[in-house]
Amino acid sequence: MTIPLDKLRDQIADTIGANVSAHNVPTVCQSVGIQDGVQEGDASDAYRSKRAYVKRHLLKRDKPALLEIAVKVLTEFASPALENTVSEMTTHAEHRVSQVTRKDVVKALNAVGHLSGEKGLFALLSTVFGKEAIEGSAFNVLLQSRTLEQEITKHYIDNPDWDNEQLLIECGALICSQTTFFKLLTELLHPMSRRGDEQEEAAKQINAALRRDGFEMCAVDSVSGYPVYGIVRLQPNVPGAMKNLIFASIGEA
């Protein structure tokens, strides 16, 4: 997946613009490496448009510099969108789950019972895909008043003609970033969602597909004696050997 550098510039600018007053934007830009120093007139430029000010100073930065700046910005301000993009351009840049495997994983989740287990369905979906995606904009341009939350209530809860696979397709599981896809899997296996045999069986179903692309869900931590699953990259040509942790659940302890 190739992510345009301009998307990274936009998200850096959006994050600073949303969290910093215009008067302080030049100073913050200096502190995170966007500009070398603060000059007279910078504050007035920032007052015209914080976002435009930041982005203008990012235009000549190359990819390594932009990523370094993004990491510094994330140490100061929370931004799930920027964090996701940085993760896609670094941790998930080379080792990818194929579209075929995604489809197989999503289909395998039909065997795990209610998707969210013991956790509230909309709480889980909002954690993974974002509250705005679930509760916000219209689900269909022809049904302007309908949100995805309303469609899920209709088709998965009240009159269940969507199975887990269809629910996740509607939420974007086949087209979301790999970071989001892996977050979905770890949330589904977190002890707040399912435990015991149900958790173990869900991991088995997911791994049957995931291992084909060199990834595996395995216990990397525990909460009150229950395993917390993360996703690891397996050693090539060494069945079952763990290479490194790619994604771990950071759900409720």
Side-chain angles (χ1 to χ4, degrees):
M1 171 188 277
T2 301
I3 297 177
L5 292 183
D6 208 44
K7 179 177 181 178
L8 186 57
R9 294 187 190 98
D10 283 339
Q11 291 180 343
I12 292 171
D14 289 342
T15 302
I16 293 176
N19 290 281
V20 181
S21 67
H23 178 76
N24 291 325
V25 163
T27 302
V28 170
C29 285
Q30 181 182 12
S31 70
V32 298
I34 293 175
Q35 62 188 86
D36 297 328
V38 178
Q39 301 178 1
E40 186 177 350
D42 282 351
S44 61
D45 285 346
Y47 270 105
R48 294 188 188 98
S49 172
K50 294 185 289 184
R51 186 180 181 280
Y53 178 92
V54 175
K55 190 168 181 182
R56 184 170 69 251
H57 284 82
L58 291 170
L59 288 177
K60 293 185 178 180
R61 301 288 185 173
D62 60 12
K63 181 178 178 180
L66 287 171
L67 286 170
E68 183 178 350
I69 289 167
V71 170
K72 290 179 180 178
V73 170
L74 287 169
T75 63
E76 298 289 338
F77 312 109
S79 173
L82 179 58
E83 185 176 4
N84 195 344
T85 297
V86 170
S87 183
E88 286 294 291
M89 296 177 74
T90 54
T91 303
H92 297 281
E94 297 181 7
H95 304 298
R96 308 292 301 176
V97 172
S98 72
Q99 193 70 6
V100 171
T101 293
R102 281 203 193 204
K103 289 182 177 180
D104 287 348
V105 169
V106 169
K107 185 177 290 293
L109 290 172
N110 281 331
V112 305
H114 191 276
L115 183 69
S116 61
E118 295 181 20
K119 189 170 184 176
L121 177 63
F122 292 114
L124 184 143
L125 294 176
S126 294
T127 296
V128 174
F129 297 104
K131 188 173 182 179
E132 174 62 24
I134 303 301
E135 300 179 7
S137 55
F139 172 72
N140 187 304
V141 293
L142 299 178
L143 301 170
Q144 291 294 335
S145 62
R146 291 253 180 100
T147 64
L148 181 52
E149 180 180 29
Q150 290 169 325
E151 289 296 306
I152 292 170
T153 300
K154 176 181 178 181
H155 293 286
Y156 188 79
I157 298 174
D158 293 343
N159 180 32
D161 54 3
W162 285 359
D163 55 15
N164 290 344
E165 178 184 10
Q166 188 61 39
L167 169 61
L168 289 173
I169 289 173
E170 301 294 345
C171 289
L174 299 184
I175 59 174
C176 64
S177 69
Q178 184 159 293
T179 305
T180 299
F181 187 70
F182 282 178
K183 185 175 184 178
L184 167 66
L185 301 185
T186 59
E187 287 292 329
L188 290 176
L189 291 189
H190 193 275
M192 289 295 291
S193 298
R194 42 183 47 85
R195 299 183 289 278
D197 292 342
E198 185 182 356
Q199 185 190 42
E200 184 177 344
E201 180 59 27
K204 179 181 177 181
Q205 295 291 337
I206 293 169
N207 280 334
L210 208 55
R211 287 193 188 104
R212 292 199 297 271
D213 284 344
F215 294 97
E216 184 177 62
M217 299 202 74
C218 63
V220 296
D221 201 350
S222 65
V223 173
S224 301
Y226 294 106
V228 174
Y229 280 79
I231 296 176
V232 300
R233 176 73 180 170
L234 300 176
Q235 285 279 17
N237 304 318
V238 184
M242 184 186 300
K243 183 179 182 183
N244 62 298
L245 178 66
I246 299 296
F247 195 96
S249 173
I250 54 173
E252 300 92 333

